[in-house]
Amino acid sequence: MAVAVRSPGTRVEAVVGEIRERIAARRLVPGVRIPSVRAFAETMGVSKSTVVEAYERLAAEGAVVPRPGSGFYVAGKTRPLSLQAMGPRLDRIVDPLWITRQAQQAGADQLKPGAGWLPDSWMPHEAIRRGLRRVARADLAEMTNYDRPLGYEPLRHQIARKVGEKGVGAEPDQIVLVESATQALDLVCRFLLQPGDTVLVDDPCYFNFLALLRAQRVSVVGVPITPEGPDLQALATLLEQHRPRFYLTNAALQNPTGASLAPTVAHRLLKLCEAHDTLIVEDEIFGDLEPEAAPRLAGFDGLERVIQIGSFSKTLSAAARCGWIALRADWVEPLVDLKLALSLGNGHITAALVHALITEGAYRRHLAETRRRLAGAMVQASAELRACGLETWAQPRGGFFLWMRLPDGRDGADVARRALARGMVLAPGTSFSLSEAWNGYMRFNVAHCADPRIRPILREALG
């Protein structure tokens, strides 16, 4: 990359800053030789004397050590991991982790059309209270002991039945319970990946996928998404070029676009990944919000090359953290060994509560009512946002996300900053993408868009 600078001093600082970032992101670790003076001069588009001066500065501050006749090497102990350094240099007020923090910390009077969950008033409060009373009457041993390594057996049976309704044939002993879908993905990454591996993700994708994968020290490559799933031609090229370990995607109600896989795309996707020996990790977290189930990759594949993960935080309660992993039988034991090494198990009380809730008829009624409300909210929010000059990228078949293009090439990060100053949390496209292709887009949660204050504040933020 060429560095646009106006003086030799800023050129040196640019080189110093780039090496510091690579060390902070652990792309350069202690004992590793940093790029040669000639090679880095070409990379940065500066003179060799500029790189020499920068390297000497880094040596003077103890960041690197010169070895005569060999070059410069990273010095010292490994520094604490910096996720911010590992990603694109975004303004901190609108980076992905900031969106989560602000939405979670927002007060009752703050508007949250950028949030990733349903409003509290939509959740099944009375059913949760009944479930808590039911769990409280359980045997004392169940209230205090570690659960079985796979997790609470009755809940695993229910999850096997639940995924089976969507065509995924999984036995209860192929279901591993964990604390959340995020922990499920972290565990799968630890199980499958080595530092330096490549993982494909949708572009755009759920922003926490990017943060979590960076923490695994892997290379992350984006696959352009379409309203019917990934761009298959682009996927084929990327599979050939990168030979990734796995492809991480949502088959149903993709976050942030709301897209769902078309059957023909699902079949072709599986064949392409199989031909390049690439596994698939399918995030099923929004699946229960579909009016009609889209194809599940794990169903077509029979869990041979697809691992499915999910949780109940979007439909039951984010406070009751309970997730699951469905995978091939011969991988269960080594995955469970890794789970036990990291956490000794998962929360039995939470799993028992979730089981109590989903075995009630109230859960199905709650889902039906939630889908009905979301359908109405989708129509209303679409109309309100279009009245502000935004355009719908694609009409989702369900769920609560709308992916909207901002008018006149406006930048989503700038709009989010102005909205925040007016008490509204938005989710700009830059947070969901490895590229700049989606800077002019915004994700909206239709369940949080009914407040009449949103439209005037959005118009002001759009300028």
Side-chain angles (χ1 to χ4, degrees):
M1 62 179 180
V3 180
V5 291
R6 291 176 294 180
S7 71
T10 55
R11 289 190 178 95
V12 172
E13 289 162 8
V15 175
V16 169
E18 178 65 19
I19 294 297
R20 283 176 179 158
E21 283 190 18
R22 294 188 183 194
I23 294 172
R26 296 184 181 173
R27 288 181 282 161
L28 293 172
V29 297
V32 167
R33 184 175 182 268
I34 66 176
S36 70
V37 170
R38 176 180 295 177
F40 211 52
E42 293 177 358
T43 298
M44 298 293 290
V46 298
S47 68
K48 289 186 285 185
S49 61
T50 297
V51 177
V52 169
E53 183 178 345
Y55 283 11
E56 291 294 347
R57 284 194 193 180
L58 290 163
E61 69 184 38
V64 302
V65 176
R67 296 182 187 175
S70 179
F72 290 83
Y73 291 76
V74 179
K77 297 180 179 179
T78 302
R79 297 182 181 182
L81 178 65
S82 171
L83 288 178
Q84 185 179 6
M86 298 176 81
R89 302 184 72 179
L90 298 173
D91 188 319
R92 188 66 177 170
I93 73 160
V94 291
D95 76 11
L97 299 178
W98 173 88
I99 292 173
T100 299
R101 285 195 302 272
Q102 293 300 317
Q104 289 179 347
Q105 294 171 0
D109 60 337
Q110 194 162 6
L111 302 172
K112 300 186 288 292
W117 52 83
L118 292 172
D120 179 67
S121 61
W122 288 42
M123 304 310 281
H125 299 102
E126 288 306 316
I128 292 172
R129 290 190 177 95
R130 288 195 302 272
L132 287 169
R133 289 194 292 268
R134 180 173 163 184
V135 171
R137 293 193 294 269
D139 184 271
L140 287 178
E142 294 188 9
M143 302 282 285
T144 57
N145 289 340
Y146 288 110
D147 211 332
R148 295 184 178 185
L150 287 174
Y152 188 50
E153 185 173 0
L155 179 56
R156 290 189 289 108
H157 278 267
Q158 285 297 123
I159 292 172
R161 185 176 298 112
K162 178 169 138 0
V163 300
E165 293 173 355
K166 297 170 186 174
V168 181
E171 296 297 324
D173 286 347
Q174 290 178 265
I175 306 293
V176 179
L177 298 186
V178 290
E179 297 294 345
S180 65
T182 300
Q183 191 196 34
L185 179 56
D186 181 55
L187 195 61
V188 168
C189 287
R190 292 171 186 264
F191 180 63
L192 294 177
L193 297 175
Q194 295 289 335
D197 282 347
T198 296
V199 174
L200 298 185
V201 297
D202 295 326
D203 185 16
C205 71
Y206 173 41
F207 52 69
N208 208 43
F209 287 172
L210 303 177
L212 193 152
L213 289 167
R214 288 177 189 134
Q216 302 290 334
R217 283 86 154 165
V218 298
S219 175
V220 187
V221 177
V223 181
I225 196 78
T226 78
E228 295 187 331
D231 181 319
L232 292 177
Q233 184 174 354
L235 175 62
T237 300
L238 293 170
L239 288 168
E240 182 68 32
Q241 290 177 344
H242 298 280
R243 298 288 173 177
R245 182 64 170 130
F246 65 76
Y247 170 38
L248 172 60
T249 188
N250 301 108
L253 306 179
Q254 194 258 2
N255 183 4
T257 67
S260 295
L261 272 180
T264 53
V265 174
H267 281 290
R268 182 63 179 146
L269 190 163
L270 286 167
K271 288 182 178 179
L272 284 170
C273 287
E274 182 179 5
H276 292 85
D277 196 27
T278 297
L279 303 172
I280 298 172
V281 178
E282 181 179 49
D283 183 357
E284 168 67 4
I285 194 167
F286 296 104
D288 280 353
L289 297 176
E290 280 187 294
E292 296 180 2
R296 296 301 192 267
L297 297 169
F300 286 144
D301 173 74
L303 293 176
E304 283 300 311
R305 304 185 59 80
V306 179
I307 296 175
Q308 191 178 81
I309 64 176
S311 85
F312 298 91
S313 62
K314 304 302 181 185
T315 54
L316 279 178
S317 171
R321 307 295 287 164
C322 184
W324 49 267
I325 305 168
L327 72 167
R328 51 192 278 184
D330 60 319
W331 283 356
V332 170
E333 185 174 349
L335 183 80
V336 169
D337 286 347
L338 180 59
K339 167 189 163 181
L340 295 177
L342 293 171
S343 64
L344 290 179
N346 53 281
H348 172 85
I349 293 176
T350 299
L353 171 60
V354 169
H355 177 258
L357 291 171
I358 68 173
T359 53
E360 278 194 357
Y363 181 62
R364 288 186 179 273
R365 292 193 297 273
H366 164 66
L367 286 180
E369 174 63 11
T370 300
R371 293 187 200 109
R372 185 193 65 78
R373 295 181 71 177
L374 284 172
M378 187 74 71
V379 172
Q380 180 180 349
S382 296
E384 290 286 331
L385 293 170
R386 285 196 296 269
C388 292
L390 284 74
E391 295 181 12
T392 305
W393 177 75
Q395 193 63 40
R397 60 193 299 167
F400 46 76
F401 291 140
L402 271 175
W403 189 236
M404 305 292 290
R405 185 165 69 86
L406 301 175
D408 303 323
R410 285 174 173 78
D411 183 83
D414 291 338
V415 175
R417 293 186 190 98
R418 291 192 287 270
L420 179 64
R422 294 163 174 80
M424 186 164 76
V425 178
L426 293 176
T430 48
S431 300
F432 301 90
S433 179
L434 293 163
S435 68
E436 296 182 359
W438 302 99
N439 290 1
Y441 286 75
M442 192 81 71
R443 186 194 75 181
F444 289 89
N445 182 335
V446 301
H448 283 274
C449 286
D451 194 298
R453 294 174 293 170
I454 290 176
R455 185 169 172 177
I457 291 176
L458 181 58
R459 285 186 179 279
E460 291 179 21
L462 288 168

